[in-house]
Amino acid sequence: MEIREVQVVDATEKLRSEHIDVLLISLPVTAPDVTVGPVLFSEPRMLAVPAHHPLAARTSLTQEDLADVVLLRPPHSGPDSWPADRHPRRTPGGAAISSGAPVETFQEALQQVGAGAGAVIVGAQVLRFYTRPDVVYLPFTDAPPIEWAATWLNINDVPCHRHFARAAVQAAAELDEPPQLWRSP
């Protein structure tokens, strides 16, 4: 097995071009040519905001609070280029959410958040892997978790991909502990 990193904006295209066989990606995946395996893990949904943003002083927020931020956006809006639930246009109550500058990579998104250009919806794994003094991560109290699954092309629905997905589910279940909620100072 060879592990490769792909960016969310072109992840399914890498799968289609057969640069990768199995893609671990956050749901939802709406591409009709992609098989979605079982959910490997889920994580709380959070909002990354600049440390100086008024929301940064809070300990949590709701989806309605998205009306008070500018959400960074994908560089293009193909049907499976960026999960729509990470860049909603309106809050559940109908308030408009401002759309900010385009970002192509996760690191670029965090740099832009830290620089005050906007906010981005993320999963709680950021607490373990992406702590930054210029970014505060706030958990949503009313948003569903982000779920991750193994995916592969329908035309490549072979037993080894299903075996991989089952082994990944088992390995994820054996993790010592899920990410802990933490706010950067």
Side-chain angles (χ1 to χ4, degrees):
M1 178 183 343
E2 181 181 332
I3 297 173
R4 301 190 58 202
E5 179 184 12
V6 296
Q7 299 300 321
V8 70
V9 296
D10 63 359
T12 47
E13 196 50 46
K14 293 281 188 183
L15 191 63
R16 287 185 185 111
S17 66
E18 299 186 17
H19 283 93
I20 52 178
D21 296 316
V22 177
L23 173 66
L24 302 181
I25 192 166
S26 63
L27 302 178
V29 173
T30 58
D33 59 334
V34 175
T35 297
V36 177
V39 171
L40 302 178
F41 67 94
S42 63
E43 59 183 335
R45 190 176 301 256
M46 305 184 86
L47 184 68
V49 298
H52 64 274
H53 192 279
L55 289 175
R58 297 180 45 188
T59 58
S60 64
L61 68 152
T62 69
Q63 293 180 77
E64 292 303 319
D65 291 316
L66 290 174
D68 297 329
V69 300
V70 173
L71 276 184
L72 300 175
R73 63 183 173 82
H76 48 79
S77 57
D80 45 87
S81 62
W82 188 289
D85 65 332
R86 297 321 139 60
H87 191 259
R89 297 179 195 275
R90 299 203 166 277
T91 69
I97 301 171
S98 297
S99 186
V103 292
E104 291 195 29
T105 69
F106 190 65
Q107 288 294 342
E108 182 182 352
L110 292 179
Q111 289 168 350
Q112 292 296 316
V113 170
V120 65
I121 295 173
V122 298
Q125 67 180 303
V126 296
L127 303 174
R128 184 175 285 172
F129 301 113
Y130 297 100
T131 60
R132 296 174 56 111
D134 54 351
V135 175
V136 172
Y137 301 108
L138 299 166
F140 285 97
T141 59
D142 63 347
I146 295 174
E147 297 180 317
W148 292 78
T151 62
W152 52 88
L153 290 177
N154 296 341
I155 61 172
N156 291 336
D157 191 6
V158 294
C160 68
H161 294 155
R162 293 188 179 276
H163 292 307
F164 175 85
R166 281 194 296 276
V169 167
Q170 182 178 358
E174 294 173 1
L175 289 175
D176 291 334
E177 60 183 77
Q180 300 295 310
L181 295 182
W182 177 84
R183 270 181 26 118
S184 57

